Amino acid sequence: MIPAAFEYYRPTDMDGVLAILAEHGDDARVLAGGHSLIPMMKLRMAEVPHLIDLQDVGGLKGITVEGGTIRLGAMTTQTEIIGSDTLTAAAPILREASLQIADPQVRYMGTIGGNVANGDPGNDMPGLMQCLDATFHLIGPDGTRYVAARDFYEAAYMTDREDDEVLTAVSFDQPVGGYAYEKQKRKIGDYATAAAAVQIVKEGGKCTSASIAMTNLSDTPIYSQEAGAALVGTVVDDAAMDAAVAAMLGDIDPTEDNRGPIEFKRHVASLILRRAIARAWSRA
Amino acid sequence: MKDDITREDRVDALGGMGCKRKRVEDARFTQGKGNYVDDIKLPGMLFGDFVRSPYAHARITSINKEAALAIDGVVAVLTAEDLAPLGLHWMPTLAGDKQMVLADGKVLFQGQEVAFIVAKDRYVAADAVEMLDVQYEELPVITDPYEALQSDVVLREDLDTNVPGAHGPRKHHNHIFTWEVGDEPATNQVMDDAEVVAEESMYYHRTHPCPLETCGSVASMDKINGKLTLWGTFQAPHVVRTVASMLSGIEEHNIRVVSPDIGGGFGNKVGVYPGYICSIVASIVTGKPVKWVEDRMENLMSTAFARDYWMKGKISATKDGKITGLHCHVTADHGAFDACADPTKFPAGFMNICTGSYDIPVAYLGVDGVYTNKAPGGVSYRCSFRVTEAVYFIERMIEVLAIKLNMDSAELRRINFIRKDQFPYKAALGWEYDSGDYHTAWDKALKAVDYDGLRAEQAQRVEDFKAGKTRKLMGVGLSFFTEIVGAGPVKNCDILGMGMFDSCEIRIHPTGSAIARLGTISQGQGHATTFAQILATEIGLPADSITIEEGDTDTAPYGLGTYGSRSTPVAGAATALAGRKIRAKAQMIAAYLLEVHDSDVEFDVDRFTVKGAPEKFKTMKEIAYAAYNQAIPGLEPGLEAVSYYDPPNMTYPFGAYVCVMDVDVDTGVTDIRRFYALDDCGTRINPMIIDGQIHGGLTEALAVALGQEIAYDKQGNVKTGTLMDFFLPTAWEVPNYETDFTVTPSPHHPIGAKGVGESPHVGGVPCFSNAVNDAFRAFGLTHTNMPHDHWRIWKTANALGLHD
Amino acid sequence: MSNKMHIKLTVNGEAHEFLAEPRELLIHTLRERLDITGPHIGCETTHCGACTVTMNGKSVKSCTVFVAQANGADLTTIEGIGDPDNLHALQTSFKEHHGLQCGFCTPGMITRAAKFLEENPNPTEEDVRFGMAGNLCRCTGYQNIVKAILATADELNAAKEAAE
Ligand SMILES: Cc1cc2nc3c(=O)[nH]c(=O)nc-3n(C[C@H](O)[C@H](O)[C@H](O)COP(=O)(O)OP(=O)(O)OC[C@H]3O[C@@H](n4cnc5c(N)ncnc54)[C@H](O)[C@@H]3O)c2cc1C
Ligand code: FES
Ligand code: FES
C-alpha cells in the first residue's frame, strides 16, 4: 500500500496555496490531516501529482464563539473540537459527534475542513453541519464565497467546491435547545451504519423548531427539512416522532454494503433518529 | 549450608511449574527490541512484491513485462514461465494437492499471485506492480461449493477426474475428496428407530486468523558457500526447511530456516506460501537477499482462510434426552487448491471429534471437499485441526435437540456427558479420550454463574419484552467443549510425511545454568518462560538460569512446530523427558560425589540427598560443575540430553463456558454482560499465562461469532479485505472475562499437561453463538448462522416477527 | 519519481537530516531509514495502531503520515519512552500484568498509553478502553492491557503525590 509519487508543497499563506492550485488545476489537491486522502492515495484510488499541505498556512486554525456565531477554522482537528470547553459550552453536539468519529489517533489528525470537504457520505461532520445550518467559507481566485452546508453536497465525493477553491472555515449560529448525535457503527474505527444529528428547541412544552440530518444513508448527507417540520408545534410524542421518521425515510436512499441490506439500514435509521430526537428533546 | 532456608523457599527460588512467573520475553518487546521478519535488514537486500489477479477466474492471455522492467530500480519480474524450468511454478500443498506458485495459464481466485516483482525497495516494487501489463479473459466464477459440484465449469484443468486425489476417488471435476468415519448404516438405523430426531443445517462461515503481523520472509542465497538462509513467519520452521530442500534441490544441510520473533500465528503461519518460494527463487536468481512481506489486504485475500464448512446434522435421542446417535455431513469449501494444513491422513482434520463431550453410542461423519474460486487455506485458526468446527457443530446440535425435547440444555448436557469412570473413553468416531471429569466442571460452572437465577431473569425478560417494556432480549450461551490437541502420535499423524513428534535438547553449563532448544516456535505463547519452568522443576535449576531457544533449524532439534496447541503436550513432554535424562545422569554424579550407591540418593527440588540423611546432599549446581571438572569413573564428561517425544495419544483439554448477553432486536447490537470460562488443561504450568491465553482466545472467538468473516460477492471479489470490514474488536468492544479451572491431569503425559491456547477459541465460538440463538429461543428460533453481526441479528428478529 | 526533499526530524531527542521522496511514509522512514524498528506495520490502513508514535505531542499512526508532512517534527517512539536502565512505568507494568503476548502490538500500545495517561492521569476502565481503541491486539483480549494501564496510572499518581 504505497502511494504514487507526487510533488509536495507546504506554502505558508493562502496566496501560495491558490497559486499552486491555479497552476496545476485538478492535478493538485490540498492535504489537511490526511486521514481520508492518504489512505486513498495508498490504495492508489486517488492520484495527486501535486499535494499542497495546509499545515503551515496561517489563519486556518482556531475556534471562536462571538456574537452568537461559532467559527471553526478548517484546520481545527477533531481532538481540538473535543477539547474546547468554549465550543462544548456553546454547541455541545460537536463534541458528542466528534467522539464518535474513528479513534484517538485519527481524531488528532482529522480536521473539520477535511471532513466536510472530502465529500464521503460516511463522514459525520457534513450531516452535522447541515443540521446546524452551517456556512462553508470557500476562498478561490475570485475571493471568498459562502455556501450553505445544505447546498454543498452533490454526490459522493462531488461538492460545490471548485478545484481551485479552498475551504477556510465553517461557521454557524450558536445552536439553542436540546441536541443529540446518535450513531450506530459496527465497531470503533467504522463509519456509520446510520447516524442522526438533531437539534430541537422547546418552548412552553412544545417544539418550536427542529433540525434533522442523517449520515451515510445516501450518497450525500441528508438534511431532512420535513422531518424537522414534523416535530414543530408538537409535544414530540409518539405520533410526532412517527411523522418525523416517516419524513426522514422519504428522504434517504441507502445502498447495501457490508453493514447490511437496505431494509436494515432504513430500520436502523428510524431507530437512531427516534433515539436522537428523544435525547435531544430531553435536553431541550 | 544454613537451615533457615526451608524446602518451600527452595521450591520458590526455582520459579518452576505452577508459579505465575513473569515472562522473560517481555523486556525486549516492551522496549521495541523484538526482532520480527520485517525488522531484518541485510546488505544489498531487495524487495519483492506480487502482482495479483483482480479476477476470481480468468485465463491469462498475455503478460508484458516491458513497462515494469523499464522502471529504474526494478531488478527482475518473475512469472510462471520463469519458474517452470526450475519446476517451481507449482508447489505441493500440505493436503496432498498442488498449488500454483505463480499463475500458470489461469487464475483461480481473486488476489492470486501472478508475477513477482523484485526491486531495490518497496516503493519501486509498488510502482512496478502498477505497470505490469497482464491481460485476462474472464471465466465463469463459482463461489458456492454446492454449485461447484453441479457445474460444468472445470476449475482445476490440471487434474484428471478419473485419477484419484490424495484422499481417494473424486466424484466430479470440482470435487476433491470424500472422507468418511463411523458406521453410517448403523447410524441411519438408530435415527429411524429413535423417539426423537433433531436436524439442522449450519454454515460455519469463512474467516481468517489475521495475526497482527502479516506473513513474510527474507531469503539469502550465499552462492559462494552454497547456503540458503531463510527467515520467515513460520510456525513450523523445520518442515519449511524440508519442503524448501525437496522443492529447490538444495541439500537440507545447506538450508537454514529461522523463525525470528513472530507477531502472532493462530494458524496463519503454518502453510507454505508462494511468497516464501518466490523470495527464495529471487534470491537465487539475483544473488542478493530478497525480502517479501505481504500487506494486510494480501494477507486477508490470499493466505490461509479458516472454516468454510457447510454442516448438516441429525441427532437422535430418547424422550428423556439420552442421545442415541449422531449423523454429520460436511460440504467443505477448500477454495482453488486444497491447501488445508491437516495431518496427511485427516483431510478434514479432527472433525471426527464432533461427538463432543457426550457418550454417543453410534455416529457417522462424511466430509466432501470441494474446489471453488476462493483463496486456498483451511487452516486451524486458533484450534486443533477443524476442532472448532466440530465443537461448534455438536454444541449447536445439543441446543437444537434441547429445543426439540423442550428441555433445558444444561440438563441435556449433564445427562449425556461421558462419566468420569468411563475414561479412557473410546468415542464412536474413533478417538480415545484420555481423561476428563465433565460433571464436576459443569456443576462448578453453573453454580458460579447462578444458572437457575439467570434462567429466571431471562424468563422475566421475555415477559417484559412481550409486555412492551424492553426491546432487549437476554441470551444465556452455554458450551461444554472437549478439545483434542497435541498431535502426533506419529503412527497416525504426519505432515508431508514427517511424523508429528517434537523435541528438546538440553545443555547444562558448568556453572549451573542451561540452554534448552526445542523444535517448536513461540508466537506469543511465552515458551521461553514456561518451558524454562518445566525444566526448572525437572532439573532443579532456577528457571531464570535457563535459556530457551527455538526457531533456528541449524541449532534446534527437528520438530514439527507450534500449532494445534501441540507445544506443551508434545514439546513440553520432550522437555520434561530430556530433563529426566539429565536428572538420571546427575543422580550418578551425585552418588559418586557423596560416595554412596546410585540408588541411595534421591532428588529433592534442587538437589540430590542421601536417602535418610537429607543433610548430606549435592545441589544441581554442584553436580553440573562436577560433570565438567572431574573425571567420574564410568561416566562421560558433560551434562546434556536430547529427547524426541512421540506422544502415545492426544490430550483432551475441556471446559465449561457461560455467556450472558443482551440482544437489541431492533439494532441488532449485542452486549456481553458476563462471560465465565472454566478450563481444565490438566497440570497448570503458569496460571498467569493460561489466563492470558484464555482472554485472547475468547476475544478471537467473540470476533468470529459476532462479525468476522471473509465474504465474497458472486464475482468472487473479496468484500472484507481491510480491517474496516474484517472485524477485529478493539478494547472497547471486548468485555472482561472471569476465568476458573479444574485440574484433571493427562494420565499419559509426563507432567500431566494438556495444552490450553486454543480451548477458549474452540469453546468460545459456540458459547457466543449459543447466547445469540438462545436469546430468541422463546420466540421460536432453532438456529441462525454466524456471524451474528448487527444486520443478521436484525434479520433473525425480523423473520420471527419481532418488528411487527 | 518525484524530487527528493530535504527532511529534518527529531526522533527520541536525536536530530536526523536526510533526503527522501515526499511520499515516503513515516513508518518506513523510521523503520527502514533510521532503523527504529519498534513501531510496527500491522494493517497499513490506519486501523491497527501498531505504527503509533508521538508526533509533536499527538498520538499518530505513522503509516498515515508522509515524511514530508513530518518535516520539522519532534517524534517519540517506543525506543524513546524509556531505556533499559530507566524503564517507563508502563513498560514494567505491561510485564507485571502480562499485558502482551506476541509483542507485535506492544510498542504502539505503550506509546499510545503513555500519551493517553498524559491526557488523562486518572482514567476509569471505560476511559482506558475508549482511549486505547485505536490500537488493536490479537493476542491478549485487552483485559491485561487495561489492567496494566490502570495500575500504571495509580503508580504514577502515587509517585507524584510522594514527590509533592
Ligand atoms: C480508520 C478511520 C476511521 C474513520 N472514521 C471516521 C468516521 O467514523 N467518521 C468520519 O467523519 N470520519 C472518519 N474518518 C475520517 C477522518 O475523520 C478524516 O480525518 C476526515 O474525514 C478528513 O479530514 P482530514 O483533515 O484528514 O482530511 P484530508 O484527508 O487531508 O482531506 C480529505 C479531502 O478533503 C480535501 N480537503 C481537506 N481540507 C480541505 C480544505 N480546507 N479545503 C478544501 N479541500 C480540503 C482534501 O483535498 C481531500 O480530498 C476515519 C478515518 C480513518 C482513517
Ligand atoms: S499499520 Fe498503521 S495503523 Fe496499522
Ligand atoms: S500481543 Fe500480539 S498483538 Fe498484542
Side-chain angles (χ1 to χ4, degrees):
Chain A
M1 285 181 213
I2 291 188
F6 53 79
E7 290 297 333
Y8 175 83
Y9 309 83
R10 202 196 274 189
T12 51
D13 59 25
M14 192 49 74
D15 289 346
V17 177
L18 294 175
I20 303 163
L21 282 174
E23 184 182 346
H24 297 289
D26 64 0
D27 269 356
R29 276 227 226 164
V30 297
L31 177 78
H35 274 48
S36 286
L37 186 55
I38 296 175
M40 298 284 277
M41 291 173 70
K42 284 166 74 176
L43 294 170
R44 302 202 178 205
M45 281 156 64
E47 216 199 311
V48 184
H50 298 273
L51 189 68
I52 312 165
D53 190 340
L54 297 180
Q55 68 171 298
D56 284 351
V57 177
L60 290 180
K61 265 197 180 287
I63 299 169
T64 55
V65 182
E66 260 173 35
T69 301
I70 297 172
R71 182 181 185 282
L72 305 175
M75 291 294 281
T76 308
T77 64
Q78 288 143 15
T79 301
E80 286 161 352
I81 289 175
I82 292 165
S84 165
D85 294 339
T86 330
L87 179 63
T88 301
I93 195 169
L94 269 113
R95 180 172 196 273
E96 182 160 301
S98 298
L99 281 169
Q100 298 181 63
I101 292 177
D103 61 44
Q105 286 96 318
V106 175
R107 292 193 293 265
Y108 261 130
M109 294 299 283
T111 66
I112 178 88
N115 203 301
V116 300
N118 194 29
D120 182 337
N123 280 131
D124 287 286
M125 288 299 180
L128 178 56
M129 291 300 124
Q130 293 194 337
C131 170
L132 294 170
D133 196 13
T135 301
F136 295 166
H137 305 216
L138 298 169
I139 190 165
D142 307 325
T144 299
R145 68 185 178 107
Y146 303 92
V147 183
R150 292 177 186 171
D151 299 331
F152 188 70
Y153 298 94
E154 295 164 354
Y157 299 102
M158 305 273 286
T159 67
D160 185 54
R161 188 181 63 83
E162 298 295 334
D163 286 337
D164 57 3
E165 287 181 314
V166 179
L167 190 139
T168 54
V170 304
S171 63
F172 47 90
D173 290 345
Q174 183 170 339
V176 283
Y179 67 92
Y181 195 81
E182 279 277 341
K183 175 175 177 181
Q184 178 164 337
K185 55 188 175 183
R186 295 171 297 180
K187 56 167 276 190
I188 291 214
D190 189 20
Y191 289 89
T193 304
V198 176
Q199 285 279 163
I200 295 188
V201 183
K202 179 176 177 180
E203 274 166 32
K206 283 203 169 159
C207 168
T208 53
S209 89
S211 177
I212 291 174
M214 308 297 292
T215 290
N216 221 10
L217 293 161
S218 285
D219 66 348
T220 62
I222 293 296
Y223 168 64
S224 182
Q225 200 263 332
E226 280 180 43
L231 298 179
V232 176
T234 74
V235 293
V236 189
D237 51 7
D238 283 351
M241 284 228 209
D242 289 347
V245 165
M248 176 277 292
L249 286 174
D251 288 339
I252 61 170
D253 183 18
T255 49
E256 172 164 352
D257 61 17
N258 288 329
R259 295 181 188 89
I262 292 168
E263 315 85 83
F264 171 64
K265 290 191 171 179
R266 295 178 67 83
H267 190 93
V268 172
S270 323
L271 235 114
I272 285 291
L273 179 56
R274 259 174 224 284
R275 288 182 187 176
I277 293 173
R279 202 144 52 90
W281 183 243
S282 75
R283 286 163 164 171
Chain B
M1 210 176 261
K2 283 174 277 141
D3 260 1
D4 54 351
I5 299 175
T6 66
R7 188 169 186 278
E8 263 165 48
D9 292 339
R10 291 192 282 123
V11 170
D12 288 348
L14 287 183
M17 275 194 281
C19 81
K20 297 186 175 183
R21 181 175 191 229
K22 304 297 178 229
R23 302 199 327 161
V24 296
E25 296 88 341
D26 292 358
R28 69 176 185 278
F29 293 147
T30 53
Q31 294 177 67
K33 297 294 179 205
N35 181 38
Y36 302 88
V37 170
D38 202 11
D39 298 339
I40 292 166
K41 198 171 172 183
L42 302 174
M45 189 170 77
L46 303 173
F47 194 87
D49 199 353
F50 280 112
V51 175
R52 293 177 181 274
S53 170
Y55 301 111
H57 196 195
R59 219 169 282 293
I60 295 180
T61 53
S62 72
I63 300 181
N64 185 341
K65 300 181 183 178
E66 224 169 280
L69 280 171
I71 295 176
D72 190 27
V74 173
V75 178
V77 177
L78 301 177
T79 62
E81 224 169 80
D82 303 305
L83 301 192
L86 306 165
L88 287 174
H89 55 321
W90 288 75
M91 63 179 183
T93 70
L94 298 181
D97 194 0
K98 54 185 182 146
Q99 174 179 351
M100 292 176 202
V101 173
L102 290 172
D104 185 15
K106 73 183 227 175
V107 289
L108 287 155
F109 66 94
Q110 189 186 45
Q112 187 177 335
E113 300 79 2
V114 172
F116 192 67
I117 308 262
V118 188
K120 78 176 183 11
D121 63 38
R122 56 181 100 208
Y123 285 75
V124 176
D127 290 343
V129 165
E130 290 291 300
M131 294 307 292
L132 191 79
D133 177 19
V134 185
Q135 298 297 322
Y136 300 90
E137 179 189 305
E138 287 185 69
L139 296 169
V141 173
I142 305 178
T143 57
D144 176 302
Y146 293 102
E147 188 192 327
L149 290 178
Q150 305 297 324
S151 173
D152 293 339
V153 177
V154 181
L155 300 184
R156 291 289 299 276
E157 289 161 353
D158 58 298
L159 300 177
D160 179 349
T161 311
N162 298 315
V163 178
H167 309 288
R170 297 169 58 225
K171 296 192 266 206
H172 178 269
H173 49 252
N174 295 329
H175 178 252
I176 311 173
F177 64 83
T178 299
W179 188 55
E180 293 183 283
V181 199
D183 187 339
E184 188 168 32
T187 306
N188 287 340
Q189 192 61 53
V190 167
M191 298 284 154
D192 289 346
D193 299 345
E195 292 173 356
V196 178
V197 179
E199 284 186 54
E200 193 54 70
S201 297
M202 52 190 93
Y203 176 45
Y204 198 144
H205 59 287
R206 181 178 274 237
T207 181
H208 193 284
C210 195
L212 200 56
E213 176 202 38
T214 59
C215 299
S217 57
V218 178
S220 179
M221 183 71 209
D222 170 352
K223 289 199 174 171
I224 297 169
N225 296 303
K227 296 241 180 216
L228 171 70
T229 309
L230 182 66
W231 292 262
T233 46
F234 309 133
Q235 287 181 242
H238 286 93
V239 179
V240 170
R241 185 185 69 191
T242 302
V243 174
S245 171
M246 294 192 308
L247 286 179
S248 66
I250 302 172
E251 279 196 84
E252 208 166 342
H253 72 102
N254 277 330
I255 302 179
R256 176 177 168 219
V257 175
V258 183
S259 295
D261 286 327
I262 294 189
F266 316 125
N268 196 184
K269 294 166 181 171
V270 176
V272 174
Y273 298 121
Y276 303 158
I277 309 287
C278 287
S279 66
I280 296 174
V281 175
S283 180
I284 294 173
V285 169
T286 62
K288 299 257 176 65
V290 176
K291 179 189 277 189
W292 164 74
V293 178
E294 61 180 359
D295 68 32
R296 179 58 61 194
M297 286 173 80
E298 295 179 289
N299 174 254
L300 290 173
M301 271 176 35
S302 67
T303 51
F305 76 91
R307 333 285 194 229
D308 217 343
Y309 260 31
W310 299 83
M311 307 186 277
K312 284 196 162 88
K314 269 197 226 174
I315 188 164
S316 60
T318 64
K319 288 199 300 291
D320 341 313
K322 185 74 192 91
I323 300 171
T324 56
L326 181 73
H327 190 286
C328 177
H329 183 267
V330 181
T331 301
D333 185 341
H334 284 216
F337 307 97
D338 187 9
C340 289
D342 293 317
T344 306
K345 290 179 197 143
F346 297 87
F350 305 157
M351 182 66 198
N352 56 331
I353 192 85
C354 64
T355 51
S357 317
Y358 310 103
D359 183 16
I360 302 180
V362 190
Y364 165 79
L365 166 71
V367 183
D368 283 293
V370 184
Y371 290 122
T372 59
N373 289 120
K374 291 154 86 173
V379 296
S380 320
Y381 169 7
R382 201 160 186 153
C383 67
S384 198
F385 315 98
R386 299 289 186 184
V387 176
T388 310
E389 288 90 324
V391 171
Y392 177 74
F393 171 77
I394 183 67
E395 288 304 290
R396 283 297 310 134
M397 287 310 292
I398 289 285
E399 294 291 327
V400 169
L401 177 62
I403 291 169
K404 184 102 185 180
L405 290 163
N406 195 19
M407 198 171 165
D408 176 76
S409 67
E411 184 56 21
L412 179 60
R413 285 182 174 84
R414 191 197 318 270
I415 56 184
N416 286 291
F417 280 145
I418 301 161
R419 292 188 319 276
K420 191 177 175 184
D421 58 79
Q422 287 176 285
F423 292 97
Y425 172 83
K426 181 93 179 163
L429 294 178
W431 298 112
E432 187 179 292
Y433 295 21
D434 63 347
S435 60
D437 182 355
Y438 300 164
H439 286 98
T440 302
W442 197 227
D443 291 343
K444 187 173 183 186
L446 296 184
K447 191 157 174 252
V449 298
D450 180 20
Y451 181 69
D452 294 338
L454 287 175
R455 287 297 180 201
E457 187 188 344
Q458 185 186 35
Q460 182 60 48
R461 185 72 75 84
V462 170
E463 291 312 308
D464 290 350
F465 184 87
K466 288 181 176 162
K469 290 189 210 157
T470 178
R471 295 296 288 166
K472 285 186 184 167
L473 296 173
M474 171 179 163
V476 180
L478 303 177
S479 91
F480 195 100
F481 65 91
T482 297
E483 253 263 71
I484 169 169
V485 304
V490 170
K491 65 177 187 300
N492 55 26
C493 289
D494 69 87
I495 297 255
L496 287 177
M498 296 310 124
M500 296 183 72
F501 56 82
D502 232 288
S503 56
C504 174
E505 179 191 285
I506 305 170
R507 291 185 194 171
I508 311 291
H509 308 314
T511 53
S513 67
I515 181 164
R517 298 189 167 104
L518 291 94
T520 44
I521 174 75
S522 187
Q523 308 124 39
Q525 296 92 337
H527 291 173
T529 306
T530 51
F531 286 142
Q533 287 181 267
I534 297 176
L535 264 187
T537 300
E538 292 291 344
I539 65 175
L541 292 173
D544 286 344
S545 303
I546 302 169
T547 296
I548 300 289
E549 206 182 87
E550 301 176 298
D552 184 337
T553 58
D554 263 11
T555 54
Y558 206 99
L560 269 277
T562 296
Y563 41 87
S565 281
R566 61 186 300 281
S567 298
T568 300
V570 190
T575 305
L577 293 181
R580 286 174 199 179
K581 287 184 186 173
I582 296 277
R583 215 160 76 190
K585 184 168 178 186
Q587 181 164 6
M588 292 190 256
I589 299 172
Y592 170 80
L593 297 173
L594 292 162
E595 298 178 356
V596 294
H597 193 267
D598 289 356
S599 58
D600 290 333
V601 292
E602 61 188 355
F603 186 69
D604 179 42
V605 185
D606 58 352
R607 63 190 58 182
F608 278 93
T609 59
V610 175
K611 283 183 186 164
E615 71 286 356
K616 290 190 190 155
F617 63 85
K618 288 289 168 191
T619 64
M620 282 301 295
K621 216 171 143 86
E622 292 169 309
I623 293 167
Y625 195 65
Y628 292 89
N629 97 322
Q630 47 183 291
I632 299 170
L635 283 183
E636 288 178 8
L639 194 50
E640 298 191 4
V642 186
S643 171
Y644 281 76
Y645 182 73
D646 176 11
N649 189 3
M650 315 259 187
T651 60
Y652 297 78
F654 58 92
Y657 293 174
V658 183
C659 171
V660 183
M661 189 188 274
D662 282 341
V663 179
D664 183 324
V665 300
D666 293 318
T667 57
V669 173
T670 47
D671 176 26
I672 297 150
R673 271 163 49 195
R674 187 168 183 194
F675 199 104
Y676 168 90
L678 178 149
D679 274 274
D680 191 321
C681 58
T683 304
R684 292 160 61 82
I685 300 167
N686 184 327
M688 174 190 85
I689 288 185
I690 292 175
D691 272 356
Q693 291 286 312
I694 292 178
H695 299 162
L698 287 175
T699 302
E700 292 192 343
L702 177 157
V704 169
L706 300 185
Q708 183 180 88
E709 64 174 328
I710 297 290
Y712 290 82
D713 69 12
K714 285 258 178 283
Q715 287 74 47
N717 298 309
V718 179
K719 296 200 291 178
T720 51
T722 72
L723 300 188
M724 170 76 78
D725 288 311
F726 185 80
F727 177 48
L728 300 185
T730 73
W732 187 251
E733 286 88 23
V734 174
N736 278 313
Y737 306 102
E738 298 163 49
T739 55
D740 203 348
F741 61 95
T742 56
V743 178
T744 312
S746 166
H748 63 75
H749 187 274
I751 56 173
K754 294 181 173 177
V756 73
E758 301 171 333
S759 294
H761 193 78
V762 167
V765 175
C767 192
F768 288 110
S769 180
N770 280 345
V772 173
N773 275 280
D774 183 67
F776 293 106
R777 179 173 168 175
F779 299 88
L781 180 72
T782 333
H783 172 81
T784 186
N785 279 328
M786 297 187 291
H788 305 298
D789 49 8
H790 299 167
W791 74 265
R792 287 181 175 98
I793 288 182
W794 169 83
K795 210 172 154 191
T796 300
N798 199 265
L800 294 171
L802 302 183
H803 299 140
D804 301 341
Chain C
M1 203 183 299
S2 64
N3 295 329
K4 292 201 169 178
M5 277 178 68
H6 185 180
I7 306 276
K8 286 188 192 181
L9 291 178
T10 305
V11 188
N12 303 325
E14 202 180 314
H16 298 272
E17 284 195 51
F18 48 88
L19 289 176
E21 276 192 88
R23 65 163 167 168
E24 186 170 295
L25 295 163
L26 182 57
I27 184 70
H28 292 139
T29 308
L30 294 170
R31 293 178 47 81
E32 318 243 309
R33 187 181 287 282
L34 306 178
D35 291 328
I36 295 170
T37 54
H40 294 141
I41 301 173
C43 70
E44 299 180 61
T45 54
T46 336
H47 289 101
C48 75
C51 62
T52 299
V53 302
T54 313
M55 181 168 88
N56 299 330
K58 307 168 172 184
S59 294
V60 301
K61 297 183 176 177
S62 60
C63 71
T64 313
V65 175
F66 292 128
V67 69
Q69 282 174 286
N71 195 7
D74 184 22
L75 297 157
T76 307
T77 68
I78 184 70
E79 287 89 343
I81 296 270
D83 62 66
D85 299 325
N86 187 19
L87 290 177
H88 189 285
L90 281 163
Q91 291 171 313
T92 330
S93 186
F94 266 59
K95 174 170 181 172
E96 189 60 30
H97 296 282
H98 191 30
L100 64 149
Q101 292 180 25
C102 79
F104 201 74
C105 70
T106 312
M109 204 59 93
I110 291 182
T111 307
R112 169 62 196 146
K115 184 76 215 157
F116 168 74
L117 287 178
E118 277 175 45
E119 294 163 2
N120 183 353
N122 292 298
T124 62
E125 176 178 337
E126 199 166 87
D127 294 340
V128 174
R129 288 185 178 273
F130 194 69
M132 295 301 295
N135 293 71
L136 295 174
C137 174
R138 289 292 286 146
C139 301
T140 64
Y142 305 105
Q143 193 155 330
N144 290 339
I145 290 178
V146 173
K147 226 200 258 176
I149 295 172
L150 286 169
T152 308
D154 288 344
E155 195 187 317
L156 292 177
N157 287 333
K160 217 189 309 169
E161 246 167 62
E164 274 161 15

